[in-house]
Amino acid sequence: MARQRYSGQGYRGYSRVNKKMEKMVATLVIAAAVFVLNQMGIDIGGSGSKVKPLKEKSVEQLLDEVRVASPDEYADYDRNSYTEPYKKIEYKGRKYSLRKFAFVTSKHYKDGDYIDPYTGDELSLDDSNFDHIIPLNYVNKHGGAKWSHSKKHQYATDVRVGVDVDGAVNRDKSDKGPSEWLPDTNVDDYCYTWLVIAVSYDIPLSPEDVKVIRDHIGNNPKLINPYN
């Protein structure tokens, strides 16, 4: 049987096509990674990552749009179903945990000092915890138990739904809503941020929590967790 011969031109043509395919695959992978990070509120570009804030609205709009419902106290809760797999965030050429990324990119961090928005006291990174402003278990009791794993993970790793605070304060808050726990400082901003997150992720709030939010929210509130 005669052996089939391949010309050098044919090989070079195949090689060029193969390289084009590799470039296309690499472009698609990068695009997918950027899309996922953008879904988490992290805009890749320039010298590092820039956090896009959740969409803010007037207090009246938020109170009109937020859903109100009692919690499902019997909903099964597995924290790992929200937080796993563990993810690091790339920022200025380095990889950070969610807690450290939230710390160094927060507008509460200035000239090397971080002011805890819940207490007004100076806070070190070592003493901080990343607090999900609407706690994961609260979310789980208010419809989160039925979320897909991807949505659970997106919420748990979204820096825009949390802020670094004193670890002891975070443990004291636990999974309580505003009717059971409020920070020592920035109460109106805290309540406003609850509404912004709830509307952004379509999380129903308990009637008693909405009442406390109405009672404590100020005339000109802002997000309690602004990022650079």
Side-chain angles (χ1 to χ4, degrees):
M1 182 183 293
R3 184 178 298 174
Q4 188 174 1
R5 295 182 179 180
Y6 295 93
S7 68
Q9 184 178 356
Y11 177 78
R12 286 194 296 272
Y14 172 79
S15 180
R16 284 196 296 270
V17 170
N18 202 35
K19 286 180 179 178
K20 285 182 180 179
M21 289 296 294
E22 288 176 355
K23 287 182 179 179
M24 287 175 62
V25 171
T27 300
L28 288 171
V29 169
I30 292 170
V34 170
F35 174 78
V36 170
L37 289 169
N38 282 338
Q39 290 296 104
M40 292 167 56
I42 301 168
D43 182 27
I44 302 302
S47 60
S49 303
K50 183 178 180 181
V51 178
K52 294 180 179 178
L54 294 174
K55 186 175 181 180
E56 295 187 65
K57 300 178 181 180
S58 69
V59 173
E60 291 75 16
Q61 282 180 294
L62 291 168
L63 286 170
D64 183 58
E65 293 180 19
V66 70
R67 292 197 294 130
V68 181
S70 297
D72 178 4
E73 299 291 351
Y74 298 101
D76 289 334
Y77 176 57
D78 177 9
R79 184 180 176 85
N80 288 341
S81 70
Y82 287 83
T83 59
E84 298 293 337
Y86 179 74
K87 181 175 288 186
K88 287 202 169 186
I89 301 171
E90 189 164 335
Y91 178 64
K92 293 186 177 180
R94 299 178 62 186
K95 291 185 177 181
Y96 291 81
S97 66
L98 180 63
R99 177 173 66 100
K100 188 171 183 180
F101 178 75
F103 194 94
V104 300
T105 61
S106 174
K107 290 188 177 179
H108 298 300
Y109 183 66
K110 294 180 181 178
D111 301 322
D113 295 326
Y114 185 97
I115 303 301
D116 187 332
Y118 287 3
T119 65
D121 298 330
E122 191 172 326
L123 179 68
S124 69
L125 177 64
D126 288 343
D127 291 331
S128 70
N129 279 173
F130 181 79
D131 176 52
H132 291 91
I133 294 166
I134 301 184
L136 295 182
N137 195 20
Y138 186 103
V139 170
N140 196 71
K141 293 176 182 178
H142 288 80
K146 297 179 181 178
W147 285 359
S148 66
H149 175 262
S150 61
K151 185 173 181 180
K152 288 180 178 180
H153 193 247
Q154 180 185 328
Y155 181 84
T157 57
D158 188 346
V159 72
R160 302 170 300 173
V161 305
V163 66
D164 277 7
V165 298
D166 182 271
V169 172
N170 186 39
R171 289 188 290 274
D172 180 60
K173 172 187 170 180
S174 186
D175 62 353
K176 302 179 181 76
S179 62
E180 297 181 286
W181 189 93
L182 289 170
D184 293 336
T185 59
N186 302 309
V187 173
D188 54 343
D189 294 342
Y190 180 78
C191 290
Y192 175 71
T193 308
W194 262 74
L195 289 177
V196 172
I197 295 170
V199 169
S200 296
Y201 272 90
D202 193 26
I203 303 166
L205 303 183
S206 298
E208 56 270 27
D209 291 325
V210 174
K211 182 180 183 305
V212 168
I213 288 172
R214 284 181 181 274
D215 291 344
H216 287 82
I217 204 163
N219 295 323
N220 190 30
K222 57 186 182 298
L223 291 173
I224 199 171
N225 59 338
Y227 291 98
N228 294 312

